Amino acid sequence: MTDAVDKTAPARIVEQQERVPGLLRSVGWHLLPWLLPFVLLVLWHWSAVSGHLNRSVLPGPLDVVDVAISLIERGQLQHHLIVSLRRVAVGFGLGAVTGLALGIVVGLSTTARQFADLTIQMVRTVPHLALVPLMIFWFGIGEEPRVLLVALGVVFSVYINTVSGIRSVDPKLVEMGRSYGLTKPQLIWSIILPGALQQILTGIRYALGVAWLTLVVAETIASREGLGFLVQDARELLRLDVIVLVILIYAAAGWLADLLTRSIEARLLSWHPSYSSRAARS
Amino acid sequence: MSGAAVTIRRLERSFGGNAVLNGVDLDVAPGEFVSLIGASGVGKSTLLKIVAGLDEATAGILRVDAGTKRPEVRMMFQEDRLLPWRTVLGNVVLGTRGREADGAEILHAVGLGERGDDYPAVLSGGQRQRAALARALLHQPDLLLLDEPFGALDALTRAAMQELLSSLLRQSPRTVLLVTHDVDEALLLSDRVIVMRAGRIARSLALPGPRPRPRGDAELARLKEELIGSLLHDEGTADTDKPRRVKRELQPHT
Ligand SMILES: Nc1ncnc2c1ncn2[C@@H]1O[C@H](COP(=O)(O)OP(=O)(O)OP(=O)(O)O)[C@@H](O)[C@H]1O
Ligand SMILES: [Mg+2]
């Protein structure tokens, strides 16, 4: 067990934060993440205008902006965007509430776990997107199949993380709660749910991604409205600029959703040392 | 006299055939401070949990009597067991309603008056234990159960916590059952030291004079030797079982 120690290796240098003057450094720090996207955008634009980029392969950023403006003027973009957002919101809400409720019941009750967990785990192994044809067969091309698919995609990741979050709450804290005379509801509200919260939020964040993905697939198939329809329609009309626009909207929406959940996380877990540099409440 | 009386008769507890408590008899008078010492794994924590109502005895009688009212029993664990998502004050008032003022007062008494709004994560180990002590005291328990509460602290902090505990008990006396590995701590704080052995009470040693006792007293030094002697004797008897079993297992090979 005596690995040769590399005597020539330099002594580990303790990293120190540089003390660049406050404001400048802080502005620079916050702009840093935007540097790479900005460079890529400039490169893209440059390739488009300089002719390096064949516009029938990929339109330039300005083309995308143009088509966005014209779609907005005709009221189409807003319409499809709102339809899609509504589907995601309803489907996600439905799935998250169901997954949370199921997860809490199964996480808290050994009997419920014994009864339901196996079934849920089996159903979970079916890729929910495989149900698209079945859903369309059952519900036609209305709202229901899309919303239900999104809900299905969401429900399991919320369920699994809720159950495992609850199961991993420190039993010593629960024992402490009992010895301090907490009633069962108090125990759940003050100890078990806060203890499971971090993992529940992880599940929710992951589920948001799944919700978007599901929506894209569900809307691309047999739909008359929504961003997915817009893409599908554009493909038939060979409108690459519309396709790129919608892809960018998907990206922005996903990013915004992630930002939102992160800020909710930071708020709810402000006591957690790894979520705030200052654990003290101000 | 304030505090609950504890009566324990022929108390037994076994975990799947493994008898941990084996007929414990113990009486604690109201206001008495009793320390429980004994080798690791002898069942001290198990006994305390049963008294706290966190575990059920397999057989025997346990009575905690606080006169006409229902006895308040509070336990302080070896770890602080503070809820990380509640502020220090929020932890102290856990399970109560509208007692923030009392909570702040008790925090002040344990020297954490300024730290009520902080989360436990930013406190030091000793501060966390003090917060846990404050939480146990808020309920004005008739019976306070302490399971190696200061075991994880450094010597200096431990001495400070012992001071704090005895001064708080002087102000509002109550019955205390303390599990400790520290014989000095037992001698300093308690009225009586109990030695547990093989799931039973092996010795009960009443200590002279009022507590807390001066450290380094000659009589106490003698008692300490005696207690350590009986603890060592315990390990001696525990060991005698093992060689016999080993011998039996080895027989086929010889
Ligand atoms: N829930 C349990 N299930 C099975 N065995 C247990 C359980 N709790 C305690 N025991 C056993 O009971 C015995 C006594 O445990 P206990 O925690 O009471 O010891 P202790 O005297 O407090 O020891 P220490 O000084 O190390 O804390 C141990 O052998 C332990 O393995
Ligand atoms: Mg113990």
Side-chain angles (χ1 to χ4, degrees):
Chain A
M1 260 314 289
T2 49
D3 278 2
V5 177
D6 189 355
K7 294 255 167 55
T8 62
R12 198 156 52 89
I13 293 163
V14 180
E15 266 181 64
Q16 285 189 334
Q17 286 206 331
E18 313 129 77
R19 295 251 167 256
V20 183
L23 186 64
L24 203 67
R25 179 171 176 274
S26 147
V27 169
W29 185 250
H30 285 101
L31 286 182
L32 188 59
W34 295 101
L35 185 61
L36 192 56
F38 180 73
V39 168
L40 287 176
L41 190 67
V42 168
L43 264 179
W44 181 21
H45 176 67
W46 175 79
S47 329
V49 294
S50 68
H52 283 79
L53 193 68
N54 185 342
R55 292 202 179 181
S56 63
V57 174
L58 184 64
L62 289 182
D63 304 327
V64 175
V65 172
D66 281 346
V67 78
I69 290 171
S70 83
L71 277 177
I72 289 171
E73 277 171 354
R74 279 183 281 150
Q76 287 192 350
L77 195 60
Q78 304 89 304
H79 173 69
H80 293 299
L81 183 64
I82 285 172
V83 167
S84 286
L85 283 178
R86 198 178 56 216
R87 284 172 181 161
V88 162
V90 175
F92 177 82
L94 206 65
V97 168
T98 312
L100 201 61
L102 270 180
I104 289 176
V105 170
V106 170
L108 290 177
S109 150
T110 327
T111 316
R113 182 178 159 88
Q114 186 71 6
F115 171 71
D117 200 49
L118 177 76
T119 313
I120 295 175
Q121 297 294 346
M122 283 196 306
V123 174
R124 184 173 79 91
T125 56
V126 179
H128 65 287
L129 292 177
L131 298 179
V132 170
L134 196 59
M135 288 281 182
I136 289 176
F137 183 77
W138 283 344
F139 297 103
I141 56 172
E143 287 302 288
E144 297 91 347
R146 278 160 257 283
V147 169
L148 277 180
L149 271 173
V150 171
L152 261 179
V154 165
V155 83
F156 293 112
S157 100
V158 174
Y159 167 81
I160 287 168
N161 280 285
T162 306
V163 172
S164 108
I166 288 177
R167 296 254 139 198
S168 63
V169 171
D170 187 354
K172 291 182 165 178
L173 290 183
V174 177
E175 187 182 64
M176 182 279 297
R178 283 204 291 138
S179 83
Y180 278 79
L182 297 195
T183 60
K184 187 86 190 186
Q186 283 176 320
L187 216 54
I188 293 171
W189 184 249
S190 306
I191 299 183
I192 296 176
L193 286 185
L197 189 60
Q198 192 181 3
Q199 204 173 341
I200 293 176
L201 288 175
T202 305
I204 284 180
R205 194 136 68 88
Y206 179 78
L208 261 181
V210 175
W212 268 115
L213 179 75
T214 311
L215 186 79
V216 173
V217 175
E219 278 188 339
T220 318
I221 299 163
S223 177
R224 284 195 220 92
E225 286 176 303
L227 292 174
F229 163 77
L230 203 58
V231 168
Q232 206 51 27
D233 196 41
R235 191 181 59 83
E236 276 163 23
L237 301 173
L238 302 176
R239 290 296 302 267
L240 270 181
D241 45 0
V242 177
I243 295 180
V244 172
L245 172 67
V246 173
I247 290 174
L248 288 179
I249 292 176
Y250 280 140
W255 176 73
L256 276 176
D258 202 56
L259 203 68
L260 185 71
T261 42
R262 269 174 202 277
S263 75
I264 290 173
E265 245 172 44
R267 218 186 156 71
L268 289 179
L269 301 176
S270 63
W271 52 269
H272 202 290
S274 56
Y275 280 86
S276 80
S277 48
R278 254 187 94 247
R281 201 160 54 179
S282 46
Chain B
M1 194 70 208
S2 47
V6 183
T7 313
I8 296 171
R9 289 285 175 277
R10 299 179 305 281
L11 199 76
E12 291 175 22
R13 176 67 168 110
S14 47
F15 295 103
N18 170 27
V20 171
L21 296 183
N22 214 340
V24 172
D25 289 297
L26 178 64
D27 288 286
V28 184
E32 193 180 16
F33 192 130
V34 173
S35 288
L36 219 57
I37 59 177
S40 181
V42 79
K44 306 180 296 292
S45 296
T46 305
L47 179 60
L48 227 55
K49 275 187 194 170
I50 291 173
V51 176
L54 291 173
D55 191 13
E56 293 276 331
T58 339
I61 298 167
L62 163 71
R63 223 177 12 249
V64 180
D65 186 8
T68 52
K69 68 181 183 99
R70 214 175 67 93
E72 285 280 345
V73 181
R74 287 294 173 259
M75 178 146 172
M76 190 180 160
F77 304 87
Q78 181 162 11
E79 324 83 29
D80 56 71
R81 300 202 187 182
L82 297 173
L83 301 176
W85 45 84
R86 282 182 166 236
T87 60
V88 170
L89 183 59
N91 267 287
V92 170
V93 300
L94 178 73
T96 65
R97 205 176 281 271
R99 308 242 351 230
E100 276 72 16
D102 297 338
E105 196 175 310
I106 287 186
L107 273 178
H108 198 75
V110 300
L112 290 177
E114 308 293 309
R115 307 307 296 268
D117 288 338
D118 285 341
Y119 284 101
V122 301
L123 298 190
S124 73
Q127 289 171 329
R128 279 201 289 270
Q129 280 298 10
R130 277 188 269 161
L133 180 61
R135 176 177 63 187
L137 291 174
L138 176 77
H139 296 260
Q140 302 280 348
D142 305 297
L143 174 60
L144 185 60
L145 304 171
L146 307 170
D147 191 357
E148 300 180 41
F150 315 137
L153 302 176
D154 66 277
L156 211 61
T157 315
R158 190 182 319 155
M161 290 290 292
Q162 288 162 352
E163 288 295 324
L164 176 66
L165 179 62
S166 44
S167 87
L168 289 172
L169 285 175
R170 238 188 337 268
Q171 286 164 24
S172 51
R174 62 199 71 228
T175 314
V176 183
L177 211 51
L178 166 80
V179 168
T180 179
H181 279 295
D182 182 347
V183 177
D184 287 319
E185 181 171 280
L187 291 173
L188 176 78
L189 292 174
S190 41
D191 300 314
R192 190 147 58 101
V193 181
I194 298 258
V195 180
M196 271 184 83
R197 184 182 306 154
R200 280 205 188 88
I201 306 292
R203 277 198 75 171
S204 170
L205 188 70
L207 300 178
R211 54 172 208 256
R213 292 181 188 76
R215 294 170 199 264
D217 181 89
E219 167 72 358
L220 284 187
R222 195 188 57 74
L223 288 172
K224 181 179 171 183
E225 288 308 312
E226 205 179 318
L227 281 172
I228 289 177
S230 56
L231 284 172
L232 287 178
H233 169 66
D234 181 20
E235 275 169 27
T237 50
D239 280 348
T240 50
D241 282 347
K242 280 181 190 151
R244 238 185 289 138
R245 206 178 305 140
V246 171
K247 236 180 248 160
R248 258 203 309 276
E249 281 164 10
L250 284 177
Q251 266 166 3
H253 298 278
T254 49

